[in-house]
Amino acid sequence: MKRNKLLTLLLIGFLTIGLSSCGDDNEKGPAPVTSGTSSNPFNGVDYVNNTCQSSSSFEDFKNRVNAGSFVTELNNNETYYFVEQEPETDQGKFLGFIPYNTFRWVTLGQFTRSSTKGTSNVNHEAGNEKLNVRDYLMAILNQTQSGQYRGGGSYYEVLTHSGDVFGINLCLPIAANPVYRANSDTGRRYFYTGTGSSQSNGTFGFTL
């Protein structure tokens, strides 16, 4: 039963990411990934031509993450922006008697991570060094449920034994990862929205 629930959430997440609205503001999430592609699945990212690596399989992807094969920062100091949301369903009646439900994403807030080019320094929930982030990402990949991953090339989304879905992207610097996270019970999620040069606020996404 729980497996069916998780698979249903994954399917809903893949279909709604990037298409849902957040209150009155339209926020773009990561687009659905396509198996076997090496193209960056995010819109508006500036790292496409920065020697983005592509994997040939999920195991190859894990090896590249373990080797830290992410693109480097383009600027000396970079900040990565994320939006945190949760799903909300409203009930209503059409013509006063036909029941219906409306679904939307409600924006809870924003947070940032950051990194410094040419150094090991990062501001990330995993720690203050890029090695900490690498170990955190590998722990996620090693907790992937058997066969429960989707993607290819430079981007994968995985379902872990904790019931969380994570997205990892080689086409962004390591400190920007994971670029996506969703909770299978609550549907609460966060995703990467862009890169800037301001300082990080040091407040990270939801804790499960």
Side-chain angles (χ1 to χ4, degrees):
M1 191 71 180
K2 185 175 181 182
R3 180 181 178 88
N4 290 337
K5 180 180 178 182
L6 297 179
L7 293 176
T8 300
L9 178 74
L10 273 176
L11 179 61
I12 293 172
F14 293 139
L15 293 176
T16 59
I17 292 170
L19 299 177
S20 302
S21 61
C22 318
D24 294 329
D25 297 324
N26 290 325
E27 296 285 351
K28 287 186 176 180
V33 294
T34 303
S35 179
T37 180
S38 62
S39 63
N40 194 326
F42 298 90
N43 294 324
V45 176
D46 296 324
Y47 295 94
V48 175
N49 297 318
N50 191 15
T51 319
C52 177
Q53 294 198 17
S54 177
S55 63
S56 59
S57 66
F58 182 58
E59 286 302 315
D60 183 34
F61 182 80
K62 289 175 64 176
N63 290 335
R64 291 174 189 272
V65 171
N66 190 51
S69 301
F70 297 83
V71 297
T72 59
E73 300 88 344
L74 292 180
N75 304 294
N76 289 332
N77 295 287
E78 291 189 343
T79 300
Y80 313 107
Y81 294 89
F82 295 80
V83 168
E84 188 174 354
Q85 301 175 329
E86 67 179 6
E88 181 176 274
T89 302
D90 295 322
Q91 296 181 339
K93 289 188 176 180
F94 179 67
L95 299 177
F97 63 91
I98 302 175
Y100 68 91
N101 293 328
T102 58
F103 175 85
R104 65 175 183 153
W105 288 102
V106 178
T107 297
L108 303 175
Q110 300 180 357
F111 70 94
T112 60
R113 301 179 182 129
S114 64
S115 63
T116 304
K117 185 176 183 178
T119 74
S120 63
N121 300 330
V122 298
N123 185 20
H124 195 284
E125 63 268 33
N128 296 323
E129 296 187 4
K130 293 176 181 177
L131 183 60
N132 300 137
V133 181
R134 191 284 307 270
D135 292 344
Y136 176 62
L137 298 176
M138 287 305 301
I140 291 171
L141 294 174
N142 289 332
Q143 292 172 21
T144 302
Q145 295 188 32
S146 178
Q148 298 302 301
Y149 54 82
R150 177 183 173 92
S154 61
Y155 180 76
Y156 271 91
E157 286 181 2
V158 301
L159 174 63
T160 65
H161 288 288
S162 66
D164 300 323
V165 178
F166 290 89
I168 299 174
N169 187 11
L170 296 175
C171 291
L172 285 169
I174 191 169
N177 283 278
V179 294
Y180 175 71
R181 181 179 181 178
N183 180 267
S184 60
D185 291 323
T186 65
R188 196 171 181 180
R189 71 180 187 179
Y190 69 66
F191 54 86
Y192 167 83
T193 60
T195 299
S197 58
S198 62
Q199 295 298 315
S200 171
N201 63 21
T203 302
F204 304 110
F206 59 90
T207 301
L208 303 177

